[in-house]
Amino acid sequence: MALPAPRPMSAPRPVASGVEAPPTLEAIVRLAAEVRQLSQDKTGRIRQITGQARILALNALIEAARAGEHGRGFSVVAQEVRAIGAEVEGLARELETHLDGRIAALQQSVGAMAGRAQEERLVDLALNAVELIDRNLYERTCDVRWWATDSAIVDCAANLTPDAASYASGRLGVILSAYTVYLDLWLCDPAGRILATGRPDRYPGLAGRSVAGEPWFRDALALRSGDDYGCADIRQEPLLGNAQVATYAAGVRADGQVRGPLAGVLAIHFDWEPQARAIVEGVRVAPADRDRTRVLLVDARRRVLAASDGRGILGETVTADPGVATSGIVRDSASGRLTAFHRTPGYETYRGLGWYGMIEQTPA
């Protein structure tokens, strides 16, 4: 079975230049606060002016009283000024009350919108992280099924001789020279004995070793056709210097036929740590939030597989429990920490392993 080579991932679309970006919700919140402060300042100034007008009117009334009959007309004007000042002050107070209440409601609404938008963005980032690793691992499933049909691999599994093993090892080495994301490739017989490896110089002495007890090997023996593959949990592989690996396996079948008899098992060991680290460290977290944000890939049991801070890998279990939800937010009421999550949607024919992308963020 010859599978097509994996398609390269498309490059991100360039952002158009010369186009003014729309205001952010944070900018709108700041603007609402400025408008609120401005209205308070101006209505306060109006009250100050009307207060001065009342004092002037009071003084005018006093002087009119002293003038007696000659000041009676001036007294009427002073009383009108005093009444107008009181009315203007009442309007200013009413305006301030209404504006302050409505602007406060606007701030609250926009703040809630900003919070929801930030949460949705974090969920999108979590989805992006798990989608990137899914696309990467999808290619691994293509690779193992494709290479299991290579004639050198098939011939070695069917008719093991020293020359066939040497040729198969050389062929595996050629593949590794082009696919640098792998630590090693192993060809095994149906009993679990390693027949050939791709990097005997880096990892000597593996030929003849038994992997019969490995879960990925047992799963591969149960595969029904060359279209199927098996995979193991991320783990440290002692035979590869305790490196973190994602192992994918497929059956090597007679004559490379999809439903031919099983002649062996091909295992490919994906170099997990640097590839996963590049994904979690590459998630676009705002610079202002970077120190309080942690990007994670976790498995179906919530075991940490990769972390942007490098902590807890393969040892920590995340406390945030998504339950049955595909995506959403989990809040820790004690610490205030927010965890955005998204379960793997799978990619192409790769259904995924129930993993999650997660973004942990502590309060600012």
Side-chain angles (χ1 to χ4, degrees):
M1 178 189 66
L3 296 180
R7 293 174 293 177
M9 293 179 63
S10 59
R13 295 180 180 178
V15 178
S17 60
V19 178
E20 185 177 352
T24 63
L25 285 172
E26 290 81 0
I28 296 173
V29 170
R30 290 195 300 270
L31 182 60
E34 292 172 5
V35 170
R36 185 179 188 183
Q37 186 61 51
L38 183 62
S39 70
Q40 290 174 343
D41 291 344
K42 297 305 180 184
T43 54
R45 180 58 180 153
I46 291 172
R47 288 200 308 274
Q48 183 181 7
I49 293 173
T50 55
Q52 292 173 341
R54 287 201 311 274
I55 293 173
L56 290 175
L58 179 59
N59 290 333
L61 286 171
I62 293 172
E63 292 301 325
R66 287 179 181 175
E69 186 66 27
H70 297 289
R72 183 177 299 174
F74 190 64
S75 174
V76 173
V77 175
Q79 288 176 347
E80 287 296 326
V81 170
R82 187 178 185 182
I84 291 172
E87 185 176 354
V88 170
E89 182 179 13
L91 288 172
R93 188 177 295 108
E94 184 179 350
L95 176 63
E96 181 178 20
T97 300
H98 288 308
L99 280 177
D100 192 60
R102 282 162 174 73
I103 293 175
L106 174 62
Q107 286 179 295
Q108 185 176 2
S109 298
V110 175
M113 290 174 60
R116 288 194 298 271
Q118 174 66 1
E119 291 174 1
E120 290 172 1
R121 181 175 182 275
L122 291 177
V123 171
D124 286 343
L125 290 177
L127 171 61
N128 179 250
V130 75
E131 278 189 323
L132 284 174
I133 199 62
D134 272 354
R135 292 185 184 192
N136 206 319
L137 296 181
Y138 161 72
E139 293 182 0
R140 312 293 68 89
T141 69
C142 293
D143 290 345
V144 70
R145 290 176 289 175
W146 179 21
W147 298 335
T149 66
D150 187 278
S151 60
I153 308 304
V154 173
D155 292 345
C156 181
N159 301 290
L160 178 64
T161 65
D163 286 345
S166 176
Y167 184 66
S169 181
R171 175 60 181 159
L172 294 176
V174 169
I175 293 173
L176 286 172
S177 67
Y179 287 79
T180 58
V181 297
Y182 294 105
L183 289 171
D184 207 357
L185 313 178
W186 298 347
L187 172 62
C188 311
D189 68 14
R193 182 168 57 102
I194 298 177
L195 306 178
T197 67
R199 289 196 170 118
D201 294 338
R202 183 184 299 183
Y203 306 108
L206 295 185
R209 297 286 294 268
S210 176
V211 293
E214 295 292 342
W216 56 262
F217 179 78
R218 296 196 300 268
D219 290 345
L221 289 181
L223 298 175
R224 293 182 295 179
S225 77
D227 290 330
D228 301 324
Y229 62 89
C231 54
D233 289 336
I234 306 300
R235 73 194 195 289
Q236 291 181 297
E237 173 53 69
L239 298 182
L240 298 175
N242 284 323
Q244 298 171 17
V245 297
T247 299
Y248 285 76
V252 178
R253 301 186 177 272
D255 300 322
Q257 297 300 310
V258 172
R259 300 197 178 276
L262 185 71
V265 169
L266 178 66
I268 63 176
H269 300 289
F270 180 62
D271 192 4
W272 171 259
E273 193 276 333
Q275 317 304 325
R277 184 180 68 245
I279 287 176
V280 294
E281 291 181 355
V283 171
R284 294 183 179 179
V285 177
D289 298 330
R290 196 172 301 278
D291 290 341
R292 63 187 187 95
T293 303
R294 188 181 186 213
V295 183
L296 305 170
L297 292 171
V298 305
D299 65 15
R301 296 171 293 172
R302 307 199 308 276
R303 181 180 60 136
V304 173
L305 305 177
S308 58
D309 61 358
R311 295 187 291 106
I313 299 173
L314 303 187
E316 176 187 351
T317 298
V318 174
T319 56
D321 185 1
V324 298
T326 299
S327 63
I329 299 290
V330 176
R331 290 180 175 81
D332 186 322
S333 57
S335 66
R337 182 179 61 203
L338 175 153
T339 302
F341 67 89
H342 204 297
R343 189 167 62 236
T344 169
Y347 182 74
E348 298 283 353
T349 58
Y350 183 67
R351 295 185 300 275
L353 302 174
W355 291 0
Y356 293 86
M358 288 191 174
I359 312 287
E360 290 182 346
Q361 198 166 81
T362 56

